[in-house]
Amino acid sequence: VILEDRSTGACSLIVYERDYENAIKYYTEALELKPCSAIYFSNRSLAYLRTECYGYALADATKCLEIDQNYIKGYYRRATSNMALGKFKAALKDYETVVRVRPNDKDAKMKYQECNKIVKQKAFERAIASDEMKRSVVDSLDIENMMIEDQYTGPKLEEGKVTMRFMKEMMECFKDQKKLHRKCAYQILIQVKELLSKLPSLIEITLKETEKITICGDTHGQFYDLINIFELNGLPSETNPYLFNGDFVDRGSFSLEVILTLFGFKLLLPDSFYLLRGNHETDNMNQMYGFEGEVKAKYTAQMFTLFSEVFQWLPLAQCINGKVLVMHGGLFSEDGVTLDDLKKIDRNRQPPDSGPMCDLLWSDPQPQNGRCVSKRGVSCQFGPDVTERFLDQNNLDYIVRSHEVKAEGYEVTHSGKCITVFSAPNYCDQMCNKGAYIHLSGSDLKPQFHQFTAVPHPNVKPMAYANSLMQMGMM
């Protein structure tokens, strides 16, 4: 609610706690009444940060500082936005400003030191990188001689292979907050890397008339909600195939449990269980949003490096019956991209800042025609006319993507030709959204939506393993 003092023109704003979409709406209205308020731009920047609109958050923080270069929160907001976008040097510059203005501010000094540490680490990584192919972690592992201690009573691979019994035991182990032995985790990672490396960047499958597939969106480390999907919809099998559409890790603090479960099912059912890469299956995101910290806390830095290698081999898109294209983010910054172009993408790398690979992981739909700068600060937003042209050129019916939290767990836009599905209910324990998954039948390819709500989980908060600077910045 916007309250205006008509005698002075001053505005105050009352927003329900955690209702960030309405916060954005009301601050926008407030800025129409008072367009030169640094405070309103700064506060809307925070709301954009909470809804992951990092590009918009950066723009608002910058505008705030253009209005009032002495407004310290503006520097904090802009630094956090740049951190979220992986622009660590730019973030460091803003923290330097705050420390210079407030030399006795312990919080500012701590954030500056944390950010400076990341910048130096990145510089070191660049310095030691060579043009030669990096040696894989796999080459340094001696799995055969890795001992499983007598006191370990958890699940083990059977003759080195994943079985359904192993999968059920592993999920029960994780539900009890117990760890899988590191040897078993390494075995899964090595085997799934070999399997994924043989796949094309664009997976093509055909469903028979009597067959169906379940498509799930982001799970983001919410292991107990993943288990709930299997309880509601049945365990994966040759007659109950699944496609998980990226962003398996980060934010939620049970990301290891999620990804090991998904990789295990991929090994068990290589032709009935599909995984696509999301923008959070990348080093920068993992460093900031928790997965790297979680792996290091529960296992080792070496294991995280192997996860990074595996993530680079995840396929980028999947075409079903030649008519439905599934990807994590969305369509492209330029017209003319074909399915053949997707097949040719060299995906075994960290994603570039632009181009089709970046777009597949990062772009978002918008209601108006054309394209515009992304609210995230990466890739673009594409309108219904862009979708229509792409579908026509490639003889497709519609696309399915994820990447955005939706109140109902899914959303249908662009006249039914762009579908978003999101499978992490009550995202980050604060968004109060439903989760959803989609059934597609080979007989008609018409999407059937199934919603579900969040289930309880142990008292480990989201972002528990995230970069401390990111946690502080989002407060």
Side-chain angles (χ1 to χ4, degrees):
V1 180
I2 301 172
L3 304 177
E4 182 181 10
D5 184 332
R6 297 195 178 275
S7 62
T8 65
C11 298
S12 59
L13 189 66
I14 302 171
V15 182
Y16 291 112
E17 184 182 10
R18 295 177 178 173
D19 189 354
Y20 303 117
E21 296 291 347
N22 272 326
I24 292 167
K25 174 185 173 184
Y26 294 137
Y27 276 120
T28 301
E29 293 177 8
L31 283 163
E32 291 174 0
L33 295 172
K34 196 173 181 182
C36 292
S37 170
I39 295 174
Y40 291 170
F41 276 110
S42 175
N43 289 353
R44 190 172 70 174
S45 176
L46 178 60
Y48 278 136
L49 281 168
R50 292 297 180 90
T51 54
E52 301 183 19
C53 299
Y54 303 127
Y56 290 174
L58 180 60
D60 271 6
T62 300
K63 183 67 177 177
C64 161
L65 294 171
E66 288 173 358
I67 295 169
D68 184 357
Q69 63 181 1
N70 295 317
Y71 190 67
I72 296 300
K73 281 188 178 180
Y75 292 100
Y76 279 129
R77 302 283 188 261
R78 190 164 70 179
T80 305
S81 303
N82 278 315
M83 288 291 292
L85 292 168
K87 298 177 180 179
F88 305 114
K89 283 187 177 180
L92 182 63
K93 187 177 179 181
D94 280 333
Y95 286 132
E96 285 175 342
T97 300
V98 177
V99 170
R100 187 169 62 250
V101 173
R102 293 184 174 179
N104 298 320
D105 187 328
K106 293 182 180 179
D107 178 66
K109 192 173 294 185
M110 179 171 59
K111 289 178 178 178
Y112 169 77
Q113 290 169 348
E114 283 290 322
C115 190
N116 194 33
K117 190 188 304 181
I118 293 173
V119 170
K120 288 181 177 179
Q121 179 186 339
K122 291 290 182 183
F124 176 73
E125 290 170 356
R126 286 193 299 272
I128 64 173
S130 69
D131 293 333
E132 299 176 6
M133 186 176 294
K134 288 172 62 179
R135 187 168 179 244
S136 172
V137 170
V138 177
D139 298 331
S140 63
L141 293 173
D142 184 6
I143 297 296
E144 293 300 320
N145 292 316
M146 198 176 286
M147 299 297 296
I148 296 181
E149 299 79 8
D150 292 339
Q151 59 266 35
Y152 176 75
T153 59
K156 303 173 187 175
L157 277 71
E158 299 176 26
E159 296 182 354
K161 294 183 179 181
V162 170
T163 63
M164 182 58 84
R165 183 172 73 174
F166 168 82
M167 290 303 301
K168 290 179 179 179
E169 290 178 356
M170 182 172 70
M171 289 186 287
E172 287 300 318
C173 168
F174 289 158
K175 282 198 281 187
D176 293 337
Q177 291 186 271
K178 297 176 182 177
K179 277 173 53 178
L180 183 68
H181 194 277
R182 66 189 181 99
K183 177 173 182 175
C184 301
Y186 275 124
Q187 286 175 309
I188 289 173
L189 288 171
I190 291 169
Q191 291 177 31
V192 84
K193 181 186 176 185
E194 182 180 3
L195 174 62
L196 294 174
S197 67
K198 295 175 181 177
L199 299 177
S201 292
L202 171 65
I203 303 294
E204 297 175 284
I205 66 166
T206 300
L207 294 177
K208 297 177 182 177
E209 283 200 3
T210 57
E211 294 176 332
K212 71 171 176 67
I213 191 169
T214 301
I215 303 175
C216 298
D218 303 38
T219 47
H220 273 302
Q222 296 185 197
F223 174 73
Y224 295 86
D225 294 309
L226 172 65
I227 294 301
N228 188 39
I229 292 174
F230 293 150
E231 290 176 353
L232 294 170
N233 193 59
L235 285 174
S237 69
E238 291 181 357
T239 57
N240 191 29
Y242 279 83
L243 165 55
F244 280 84
N245 195 23
D247 278 16
F248 319 121
V249 301
D250 281 340
R251 296 192 180 276
S253 295
F254 303 94
S255 292
L256 254 172
E257 291 78 0
V258 167
I259 195 61
L260 288 174
T261 300
L262 296 178
F263 280 170
F265 275 120
K266 181 61 184 174
L267 291 173
L268 180 65
L269 301 160
D271 299 319
S272 304
F273 195 85
Y274 303 98
L275 301 171
L276 299 180
R277 191 176 185 178
N279 64 301
H280 276 268
E281 280 70 57
T282 57
D283 287 354
N284 270 355
M285 294 293 104
N286 295 162
Q287 182 179 33
M288 297 307 302
Y289 291 99
F291 185 60
E292 179 178 351
E294 182 179 345
V295 178
K296 288 179 177 179
K298 295 178 180 178
Y299 291 99
T300 63
Q302 181 189 51
M303 185 177 287
F304 172 73
T305 302
L306 183 51
F307 268 110
S308 175
E309 291 182 24
V310 177
F311 286 164
Q312 294 189 163
W313 283 114
L314 285 163
L316 302 175
Q318 185 150 333
C319 190
I320 302 172
N321 287 26
K323 290 296 181 182
V324 180
L325 186 65
V326 185
M327 78 289 284
H328 179 72
L331 296 182
F332 307 99
S333 301
E334 296 180 354
D335 285 343
V337 177
T338 66
L339 297 187
D340 283 339
D341 293 329
L342 305 188
K343 296 175 186 176
K344 296 173 185 174
I345 294 176
D346 176 14
R347 71 184 187 278
N348 182 27
R349 55 178 170 154
Q350 294 303 305
D353 293 333
S354 61
M357 181 176 176
C358 173
D359 296 331
L360 285 168
L361 302 180
W362 278 99
S363 71
D364 295 294
Q366 63 180 19
Q368 66 271 29
N369 281 336
R371 295 179 175 89
C372 74
V373 175
S374 171
K375 61 189 177 185
R376 301 175 188 269
V378 185
S379 185
C380 70
Q381 295 176 192
F382 58 95
D385 58 329
V386 175
T387 301
E388 186 74 38
R389 289 195 299 271
F390 175 79
L391 296 176
D392 286 347
Q393 181 178 6
N394 290 282
N395 196 28
L396 296 165
D397 290 345
Y398 60 92
I399 65 170
V400 177
R401 41 90 64 184
S402 300
H403 196 38
E404 291 181 287
V405 60
K406 298 297 177 184
E408 296 301 312
Y410 72 94
E411 184 177 64
V412 181
T413 57
H414 295 186
S415 301
K417 296 182 178 181
C418 179
I419 295 171
T420 299
V421 60
F422 193 85
S423 302
N426 194 26
Y427 182 44
C428 290
D429 284 358
Q430 61 179 304
M431 297 304 288
C432 301
N433 61 291
K434 295 177 183 176
Y437 51 86
I438 299 171
H439 283 165
L440 277 191
S441 172
S443 60
D444 57 17
L445 294 179
K446 290 182 179 178
Q448 295 181 326
F449 302 100
H450 300 265
Q451 298 170 296
F452 60 99
T453 55
V455 296
H457 63 76
N459 188 26
V460 183
K461 294 181 179 180
M463 299 282 281
Y465 301 97
N467 176 276
S468 58
L469 185 57
M470 197 65 202
Q471 290 183 35
M472 290 185 290
M474 292 296 280
M475 295 298 181

